[in-house]
Amino acid sequence: MKRQLLGAVAALAIFAGFTVAAEAKTLVYCSEGSPENFNPQINTTGTSFDAAYPVYNRLVEFKPGTTEIMPALADKWDVSDDGLTYTFHLHKGVKFHSVKGFTPTRDFNADDVVATFNRPWKADDPYHNVSGGAYDYFNDMGMADLLKSIDKVDDYTVKFTLNEPNAPFIANLAMDFAAILSKEYMDAMMKAGTPEQVDQVPVGTGPFIFVDYQKDAVIRYKANPDYFRGKQKIDNLVFAITPDATARMAKLQAGECQIAPYPNPADIEKLKADPNLKVEQQEGLNVGYVSMNVTKKPFDDVRVRQAMNMAIDKDAIIKAVFQGAGKPAVNPIPPTIWSYDKDIKPYPYDPAKAKALLAEAGYANGFTTDLWYMPVQRPYNPDAKKIAELIQADLAKLGITAELKSYEWGEYRKRLQAGEHQMGQLGWTGDNGDPDNFMGVLLSCQSAREGGQNLSKWCNKDFSALIDEAKKTSDVAKRTELYEKAQVIFHDDAPWIPIAHSVVYMPMSKKVVGYKVHPLGTHIFEGVDIQE
Amino acid sequence: MLRFLLTRVSLVIPTFFGVVFLAFLLIHLVPGDPVEVRVGERGIDPVRHAKLLHEMGLDRPLSTQFFDYAGQVLRGDLGLSLVTHRPVLDEFLTLFPATFELAFCAMIFATILGLPAGVLAAVRRGSIFDHVVMGASLTGYSMPIFWWGLLLILTFSVNLHWTPVSGRIALDYFFDPVTGLMTVDSLFSDQEGAFRSALSHLILPTVVLGTIPLAVIARMTRSSMLEVLGEDYIRTARAKGLPGWRVISIHALRNALIPVVTVIGLQVGTLMGGAILTETIFSWPGIGKWLVESINRRDYPALQGGVLLIATLVMTVNLLIDLLYGLLDPRIRHRR
């Protein structure tokens, strides 16, 4: 009797197991737009990067939710003492996807890595001119000049040789443009006379296999059964393309999708109140700031720059302009980047002290300056004109007259980079989570040249020396120490008024588990599950 | 008739070239340097800027660019999309069926509701029904599409769960397009429930896009009917003792319909404008949404091609209506 009962229970359990297994789990993500194509080498927009991300892996990747680097297709890598040679040891047994018209015959190996990087890099590569042949990210990250050679040592070892030491190099390889494509697939499509197919029907090694794309409507993926980090818990991933933010949120609330990005700030409270939803948030990898041109009076005086930092009520700006979707900035890098110095105390909002400092600098009665505002909305600055008006009002209290000025966007940036302004607003969104991508690009002496991105034209030899040193070593602990020192100098010398880091909100169904908001803005579905 | 035809067609030709010229100017009128816009805030050095400008063909004299463009257009080549690198004409033709399906349904909706509403309002002039129709059509006509669409979504999709929020069919169904019309393709797909799903996705966008034409048709029908009802021959018909419904449907409506048909045709332009907003709200993958995305991405060739094709479509429909009208009413073609 007991045995029979046990048998019945076992049979029931197996039956239950079958019915659960038979039900396919589908995660629907309401994406905000159609991708340009499915090859991140030739894309420039986040929307397109998102659509390709589930399909591909890179040699190294960002740990979900952070900007730290972890091994991916490369198990480990060695760096030579001079910092010029990177040897990557590749993961064995990684399978490429099978799609309609292509079935791989071999595992991922060094040939794929070489072929992937040759395409954007070598003008004589057969694939170089396919699909328009613009490799904006590869070029903008300076890869073309940085790379000296890429050699296959053996099937599972690849050696990258650089022209000069470059610590952010590893972080660059975690970026979307460095996704690893299949050489076998590229060759097959070239032979078939349809090379563009590679960019439209992606074949990668990633957690999801591309199934189908209907322009402006839907992208479908299914879980990769042979994924090297293990098969995903969800069986199907669907991008339902929904450009209107209100409709996106309505779909989320109606249960037609489980995750939807980019809500209207005004809707966030309502979404938080919905019992079926949760709203995850993270500070975006960006900074909005006001640059003060140190080559022009009165901003050549550090006391004036410090006074300006104390004269402006940042909290009021965050409240009025960002509507809570922003955090006041202290340092030139956002807190989500490693090496962010938490110990630096922000300048307090203190008009009296600012006035005293101005008097000390010889501007007791104030002065007249221009204040430029951007003609467009950016993630780090939703309304530059409003911010300018608030700053103008704050400065007026100290007797400073600020004249507001703006130009058409392209012209605006050109003139700021030329240093025509006294005070001007701009910002930066990080590319790879490396501190050099902010401090080196925006504040070093090299970029203080006319036309450079250092808008304050602030060349502090000590600061620049620290940045240069940090760029040349790949020891993260040492780099962290150097960047922390640099942030202290930045704070004391105050070439900017850092304003804000925007906050990214990600509303999703409460059933979604394991989704982490990525600081670089990519939407990653690896490891995500739906619990009923 | 031939003379009438030639006059009308010859008027269309300069209009067409005007549109080509405006479409060409788009890229030069829209503020901003296309290269700078393309690279974003990263900034660009002058050498690469010049290279990109050259690649995009924008460093040549304006007149050369225009004649090249016009020549291309006449050969039926609308260029390649900057974003997808596919021919603009192909993209347009793949997406057009979705817009056509929506616009067609909206027109049917507007006509089958608008005509009877207008007729009844005219017949019962001054009644409560008349006031309701007039009031509702005025409200409908001035309703911002964006607000109206979202209001319907919130009511019927989010709160009542009666209709889907957006898209053309539920994501569970998928099949390759044959005609591009979802309602037709879903019937061929032999997937159970696909047709129903396609239909339910059509309801809200149809209502939203059809609202303005509905209002216009109702008002036009009413005033046209009122005019006809005051004519002598109606009085004669009534005096002859014909039943009221016969007078209205045979004698009055037939004559009142002529201007209404013209108005229905003229709504094609309105529909195209409305489709841009409606498709955006409902994620309807048609040309309206495609144009919006092209603007967002500064995909100038797609934008130029789209504007040109829509303008051509509207012009063609208007020409056809003109000709049809001339055919129906000889007084028009003999007017000098």
Side-chain angles (χ1 to χ4, degrees):
Chain A
M1 180 67 201
K2 206 173 176 187
R3 186 169 289 174
Q4 270 174 346
L5 198 71
L6 261 177
V9 170
L12 254 176
I14 289 168
F15 182 66
F18 270 127
T19 50
V20 169
E23 185 131 337
K25 267 190 194 177
T26 300
L27 177 81
V28 182
Y29 167 70
C30 272
S31 66
E32 77 288 1
S34 300
E36 301 161 18
N37 54 57
F38 290 88
N39 182 355
Q41 294 180 316
I42 54 176
N43 289 337
T44 49
T45 64
T47 307
S48 299
F49 286 147
D50 285 344
Y53 203 89
V55 176
Y56 290 107
N57 287 110
R58 290 134 292 277
L59 287 175
V60 294
E61 285 169 10
F62 295 110
K63 259 186 212 161
T66 74
T67 54
E68 279 167 58
I69 301 296
M70 64 175 191
L73 288 179
D75 284 329
K76 59 187 172 71
W77 53 95
D78 315 313
V79 189
S80 65
D81 288 339
D82 59 6
L84 292 177
T85 315
Y86 285 72
T87 310
F88 291 92
H89 303 280
L90 307 182
H91 197 86
K92 289 181 184 155
V94 178
K95 308 258 185 277
F96 276 106
H97 304 156
S98 298
V99 294
K100 218 159 133 190
F102 173 75
T103 312
T105 61
R106 62 162 175 83
D107 287 355
F108 154 76
N109 69 27
D111 291 328
D112 300 311
V113 178
V114 176
T116 295
F117 287 98
N118 275 350
R119 175 169 174 183
W121 183 36
K122 299 264 170 80
D124 59 352
D125 186 86
Y127 257 93
H128 189 75
N129 291 321
V130 171
S131 300
Y135 304 96
D136 289 334
Y137 261 90
F138 186 86
N139 290 319
D140 289 344
M141 296 311 289
M143 294 295 277
D145 300 327
L146 187 61
L147 291 172
K148 192 172 176 192
S149 65
I150 303 176
D151 302 297
K152 171 185 176 178
V153 179
D154 59 48
D155 268 359
Y156 292 99
T157 317
V158 184
K159 196 171 78 182
F160 284 69
T161 312
L162 310 184
N163 283 316
E164 57 183 17
N166 182 282
F169 177 65
I170 285 288
N172 290 350
L173 292 187
M175 288 172 65
D176 287 279
F177 76 82
I180 303 294
L181 279 63
S182 159
K183 179 174 194 299
E184 201 187 354
Y185 182 47
M186 291 201 260
D187 290 346
M189 291 302 116
M190 187 56 95
K191 215 175 138 195
T194 54
E196 289 89 3
Q197 187 83 353
V198 168
D199 304 327
Q200 305 300 338
V201 180
V203 166
T205 56
F208 294 96
I209 301 175
F210 173 86
V211 177
D212 176 61
Y213 169 45
Q214 284 160 2
K215 193 173 157 48
D216 288 329
V218 61
I219 313 171
R220 293 168 202 280
Y221 313 84
K222 61 179 185 213
N224 173 4
D226 304 316
Y227 188 48
F228 78 107
R229 283 196 284 242
K231 186 180 177 293
Q232 298 300 300
K233 289 185 184 118
I234 47 175
D235 304 287
N236 299 301
L237 175 65
V238 175
F239 280 28
I241 299 167
T242 317
D244 182 63
T246 314
R248 237 178 1 252
M249 295 310 131
K251 272 183 122 160
L252 185 66
Q253 288 187 297
E256 287 177 39
C257 52
Q258 283 82 46
I259 306 184
Y262 315 119
N264 289 323
D267 289 338
I268 288 165
E269 284 315 309
K270 194 179 78 194
L271 294 166
K272 279 182 176 165
D274 188 320
N276 299 316
L277 302 182
K278 57 183 175 181
V279 181
E280 311 248 303
Q281 65 181 74
Q282 185 168 38
E283 273 139 282
L285 198 85
N286 58 41
V287 60
Y289 60 87
V290 179
S291 139
M292 291 175 278
N293 189 338
V294 304
T295 64
K296 289 193 175 170
K297 276 192 178 310
F299 301 111
D300 54 343
D301 189 322
V302 62
R303 289 168 299 189
V304 174
R305 300 198 297 264
Q306 289 173 340
M308 301 302 269
N309 266 289
M310 288 185 237
I312 290 160
D313 188 354
K314 277 185 213 172
D315 290 330
I317 292 177
I318 304 285
K319 227 186 211 161
V321 180
F322 287 82
Q323 298 183 353
K327 288 265 161 67
V330 180
N331 294 333
I333 58 175
T336 38
I337 281 195
W338 57 272
S339 85
Y340 180 87
D341 192 340
K342 289 183 194 69
D343 298 332
I344 292 176
K345 293 268 168 308
Y347 287 103
Y349 172 56
D350 191 344
K353 202 163 168 204
K355 202 159 182 131
L357 264 174
L358 281 179
E360 206 183 297
Y363 297 99
N365 300 319
F367 50 85
T368 303
T369 176
D370 56 36
L371 171 56
W372 294 25
Y373 63 88
M374 299 141 49
V376 292
Q377 272 190 7
R378 304 299 302 159
Y380 48 75
N381 191 333
D383 190 345
K385 185 164 190 221
K386 187 94 180 270
I387 292 181
E389 285 164 357
L390 291 168
I391 292 177
Q392 188 183 38
D394 278 338
L395 294 182
K397 290 175 201 155
L398 304 180
I400 300 167
T401 313
E403 289 165 18
L404 304 193
K405 244 181 160 178
S406 191
Y407 295 92
E408 177 278 314
W409 185 218
E411 191 68 16
Y412 181 83
R413 285 200 321 267
K414 213 182 286 171
R415 286 175 186 256
L416 273 185
Q417 281 169 236
E420 287 181 25
H421 62 296
Q422 283 176 288
M423 291 175 86
Q425 291 185 63
L426 203 67
W428 184 256
T429 301
D431 295 302
N432 56 6
D434 195 279
D436 186 68
N437 186 248
F438 281 78
M439 288 190 270
V441 175
L442 304 177
L443 290 159
S444 67
C445 282
Q446 293 97 294
S447 58
R449 67 186 158 83
E450 199 180 308
Q453 281 288 350
N454 182 338
L455 306 181
S456 294
K457 307 300 156 200
W458 175 70
C459 176
N460 182 307
K461 295 267 165 6
D462 298 333
F463 179 92
S464 235
L466 289 166
I467 299 292
D468 280 346
E469 204 186 330
K471 193 176 172 174
K472 288 197 178 107
T473 165
S474 34
D475 177 349
V476 174
K478 177 128 188 272
R479 291 186 72 199
T480 303
E481 196 188 314
L482 294 167
Y483 285 128
E484 283 176 354
K485 276 188 194 157
Q487 286 171 71
V488 173
I489 298 177
F490 167 85
H491 179 261
D492 295 344
D493 220 18
W496 290 359
I497 308 165
I499 301 287
H501 311 292
S502 70
V503 173
V504 177
Y505 289 94
M506 202 62 181
M508 62 187 84
S509 155
K510 276 208 171 123
K511 291 174 189 162
V512 175
V513 284
Y515 183 90
K516 291 195 179 78
V517 184
H518 190 53
L520 287 157
T522 319
H523 301 103
I524 303 175
F525 300 100
E526 185 171 346
V528 176
D529 194 9
I530 303 171
Q531 278 176 356
E532 290 304 324
Chain B
M1 187 64 203
L2 187 70
R3 193 199 167 96
F4 173 71
L5 189 96
L6 286 177
T7 333
R8 290 293 147 130
V9 172
S10 64
L11 271 176
V12 166
I13 293 170
T15 319
F16 177 75
F17 277 98
V19 170
V20 171
F21 185 62
L22 285 178
F24 164 76
L25 277 187
L26 255 181
I27 192 166
H28 300 281
L29 288 178
V30 175
D33 171 348
V35 175
E36 292 274 349
V37 171
R38 181 171 157 185
V39 294
E41 69 242 53
R42 215 164 299 284
I44 187 166
D45 62 89
V47 179
R48 236 186 120 220
H49 185 279
K51 195 175 153 250
L52 278 175
L53 202 66
H54 184 71
E55 271 173 24
M56 293 163 87
L58 295 173
D59 55 348
R60 299 169 303 159
L62 213 58
S63 55
T64 319
Q65 289 186 47
F66 174 67
F67 286 114
D68 279 4
Y69 181 69
Q72 252 188 18
V73 168
L74 288 181
R75 284 193 302 273
D77 174 8
L78 294 175
L80 295 181
S81 152
L82 280 184
V83 168
T84 60
H85 305 292
R86 287 183 50 209
V88 168
L89 191 62
D90 281 7
E91 300 229 312
F92 185 90
L93 293 178
T94 354
L95 295 169
F96 186 70
T99 302
F100 175 78
E101 186 177 32
L102 176 56
F104 184 75
C105 290
M107 226 39 239
I108 298 281
F109 164 78
T111 312
I112 58 176
L113 283 184
L115 275 183
V119 170
L120 281 178
V123 172
R124 302 194 186 154
R125 185 183 188 174
S127 70
I128 294 190
F129 181 81
D130 185 21
H131 288 301
V132 169
V133 168
M134 285 295 94
S137 65
L138 190 65
T139 317
Y141 188 72
S142 31
M143 191 90 77
I145 288 185
F146 239 92
W147 182 80
W148 180 220
L150 293 174
L151 189 76
L152 291 182
I153 289 179
L154 282 180
T155 316
F156 294 103
S157 308
V158 176
N159 291 328
L160 295 171
H161 293 282
W162 289 356
T163 50
V165 176
S166 66
R168 290 180 78 189
I169 194 162
L171 294 165
D172 325 16
Y173 302 105
F174 87 101
F175 36 83
D176 287 328
V178 185
T179 59
L181 304 172
M182 197 56 94
T183 41
V184 178
D185 288 355
S186 63
L187 283 174
F188 286 121
S189 75
D190 20 279
Q191 292 182 33
E192 208 181 322
F195 179 68
R196 248 183 84 122
S197 175
L199 222 50
S200 71
H201 279 79
L202 252 173
I203 297 172
L204 291 190
T206 297
V207 171
V208 169
L209 186 58
T211 298
I212 291 177
L214 166 62
V216 173
I217 289 171
R219 291 179 85 87
M220 190 64 205
T221 310
R222 179 181 177 273
S223 64
S224 175
M225 268 307 266
L226 283 177
E227 203 176 306
V228 172
L229 286 176
E231 297 276 340
D232 290 343
Y233 66 89
I234 297 292
R235 231 169 287 145
T236 313
R238 281 197 206 280
K240 278 194 329 196
L242 285 176
W245 62 267
R246 210 180 142 80
V247 174
I248 288 160
S249 62
I250 307 280
H251 295 258
L253 188 58
R254 211 177 246 186
N255 287 302
L257 271 185
I258 297 178
V260 174
V261 168
T262 318
V263 164
I264 292 177
L266 286 174
Q267 290 303 304
V268 173
T270 316
L271 277 178
M272 288 298 135
I276 292 179
L277 296 176
T278 311
E279 290 182 2
T280 304
I281 306 168
F282 290 98
S283 305
W284 194 264
I287 44 173
K289 199 175 135 213
W290 175 64
L291 279 182
V292 172
E293 289 222 351
S294 304
I295 292 171
N296 285 340
R297 289 174 178 163
R298 308 293 198 274
D299 190 346
Y300 295 105
L303 202 55
Q304 287 174 326
V307 167
L308 196 63
L309 287 169
I310 290 180
T312 310
L313 182 77
V314 172
M315 271 165 19
T316 312
V317 172
N318 284 347
L319 178 68
L320 287 178
I321 289 167
D322 265 4
L323 297 180
L324 196 71
Y325 206 77
L327 214 59
L328 287 178
D329 189 347
R331 282 175 300 174
I332 292 178
R333 50 175 203 262
H334 295 300
R335 203 177 286 156
R336 289 284 156 88

